Amino acid sequence: MIRWRDPRVPLTAAAGIGAVGLVAAFVSGASAVVVGAVAGVIAATTAAISLFTAATRVADRRKAMAWRWLAGGSLTWLVGIGVRPLADGTPFVVTFADLMLLVGTAMIAVGTALCATRPAYGHALLRDLADGYVCAASVFVITWVLLLAPVYGEAGDAGNFAVTFASPLFCLILTCVVGPAVVPIRRSAWPVGLAALAVLAAITIAEMATALARVSDAAPSLTWVWLAPAAFLLLAAVPWSDRTARVADSEDGDDEPGTLSVRESTSSLIASVPLLLVVVATGVVLFRVIEGRMQGPVQVLAAVSASIVGLLAVRLFLMLVETGRMRRLVDLGERQLHDLAESTGDVVLMCDYDGVVREIGEGVETTYGYRPEALVGGKIFDYIHPEDVPGVQVALRAMSLDEEPALGPGTCMVACRVRASDGTWRPTESVATRHVRGEELLLITTRDISDQEALRNQVAHLTFHDGVTGLPNRAYFEERTREVLVRPGASSAVVVFLDLDGFTAVNDSVGHASGDYLLGQAARRLRATVRADDTLARWGGDEFAVLLESAVDAQTAVDLAERLVRTVSSEPFRVADRDIALTASVGVAFADDDVSSADLIRNADVAMARAKELGGRRVEVFAAHMHADVVRRLELAADLQRALLENQFAIEYQPVVDLATSRVTAVEALVRWVRGGTFVPPEQFLGPAEDTGLIVPLSEWILREACREVAAWRASSWDIGLSLNLSSRQIMAPRFVETVESALTESGLPPSALTLEVIEEMLVEDAEETITRLSELRRLGVRLAIDDFGTGYASLALLRQLPVDMIKIDPSFVSGLGGDETLTLLTRTIVRLGHDLGLIVVAEGIERPEQLELLREMGCTRGQGFLVARPMAARGVDALMRTSLSSLHSSV
């Protein structure tokens, strides 16, 4: 089977064949019948090929089926029109060609009907058939009076006349039946349906002209011969037109504004066509009767007119039946609507546009406490809150003026407050709809939304308030700050941030429920301290924020902040049958002309964090350098993480020597960081590393690297130990003990060669957990030392609980030796205490010879410092181990 990729190929081929045929017909001097037949064959062939090709390219089955019927009808019709010149010479009135033409026309009518939106069934089908017959009969009456009656008088043979005109009448009936179903549609098949309807009309006219020519034994006019071919060519072109594509694209979309009303108007106009044709036919008949020019047998006209009247009577009967059914459905729907509204608790009423109540349901007594009969005849405005009456009147006036409300034509929603019989105002939502019952009224359904309104208010309160303290929450505070800063004079606004010092320990000791109770007490104290027009909010956790909205000077704001500190710490909080004393850290930030609400809140938070870093129980006022410090710390933390990944750290070792023999007994591992060629002091990055938790992986790297290096020195017969400082985060890290054990195992360093140093504060904070971890290390054989001894808060009892091996005297004591008698006495006492407890005493920070002499005199066994040896890289330790320290003795 031949398939064309481009649909224009078969159309071009058919047009070429047709052109050759037409030229040949004209050259040979053929009659109008032959020319019409050739033109009809060409046009019908082109339409059939076009429709068959288009049907294979569409996904809509119904559309494809319609186009195949149209193509098949075109093929059948062209067979009839092609052989008609040959059949016209036969003695038969109706020939085989006429039958093929009628069959083809019927198939085209089926295809045209399939282009409609959907087929009609039942009463709709009877109505369409009746309307089609009335239209056809009316057109026949008009044609009979104006055209056929004189011809009938000349023909003389009634039988041949009836058979001859049966074909155009059949085509006329088909056209009138399918026309009303096709014209009002707006589907993608609509242009094709209209073109097919034009084909049916052209065939009807052409058949009427042919019948007239046969009766009068004259050749048909060439004008009528070209109608059907032209219509078929139009049908061939329509499936490929842009109009069809545009309708197909918008088929599943929403109607544009006004499309629905236009479609309804078109349907109404089409429905009135049968009556208009009946009126025209009646007028034509009356006009001829009045003129006295009525010709032909009156029986035909009477029979047709009687059939029209009979069908109109049937049509009227069906309309009355349908109207009665629709009325019953309307009444049933109205009753169901009332029952449904009453069952849902809504109040249903009917009133006019002036608000006068005509009817009202029984639900009004249940919902509002009024008896229905007491409200009928009164106005709804008497029960609506005075503030809401104007809005309700505007809505009713808009509906009475036929304006389009928000919910669409004829419907609007009104929210108002209605007074119940007990005098309370109930929030309601009402939907008003136009309703026609003799006169135009409003059907109003009213629902009491008191419960929903209460729930909505509760949700709004919870959205902007804290559930623990009842204070406004963070979202409310941020929004309120934005509102205040946009007002004139906003530069005088002040934000105060307050944090409870040590609150975390409260949750850990007495539980979160008791902690929430304490927060409630703190909120009440703070609320009593701030001014009535200030905004106090719980920012989150144990933090509170205060917004001073009215104009205050700097001293007034600081005084308020100090009162807040005193309020918190003035007396203990009573929680879980115990007294808990807390302090507060407060930060204050003042608004500038160009500061945003977010920046102002951030500045107060930064100042509060600064107060907390400085020990708490104090007030700090924000300064620009505070934010710069925070930014630097954040940048430093990011650089620290990058330095860990890129191995930017190095280790230096500071020797620890035996002060009696000057022999190196151990080295203390110290981390160094060179960032971009610049040395970063440890005091600048160790704090941020501790805060961010990066100290844990950094310390683990130092531990493994130093253990490996010292183990290599010990393998060279150098009896040397290793000292490392521990941070609190490192000790509390998961699997800390396992990490130390793994580093010793991997490096081969004996546990006794490793000394881990902790400061005294670490033994006080989380003492139980810290001592437990250090005791596990002690059981591994690792030695323990207390660094910076004498500067912290550790009691001597801790030395008994934790079996340490060494104490290291803080450099602040060593620096005063020989110049400060008190420091000298304290240092001597620490050395004697270490000897009495059997501990190794190491003096740190030895920088001058007189310090070294005094320490030897006191009996201090070991020391380290710049005088002994500066921190050095691993190769420097190698060189130091290979040389004697006798030069040190001679210099001293």
Side-chain angles (χ1 to χ4, degrees), residues 634-657:
L634 291 175
E635 293 176 349
L636 187 62
D639 291 345
L640 275 171
Q641 193 167 17
R642 190 180 306 109
L644 272 174
L645 297 175
E646 298 176 358
N647 297 321
Q648 297 179 8
F649 293 101
I651 300 177
E652 290 187 348
Y653 300 92
Q654 184 171 25
V656 179
V657 301

Side-chain angles (χ1 to χ4, degrees), residues 594-618:
D594 57 347
V595 70
S596 65
S597 60
D599 290 342
L600 179 61
I601 293 173
R602 180 207 63 198
N603 294 344
D605 192 12
V606 169
M608 181 267 293
R610 177 64 176 171
K612 206 168 186 66
E613 290 177 1
L614 295 177
R617 196 175 182 177
R618 60 185 295 136

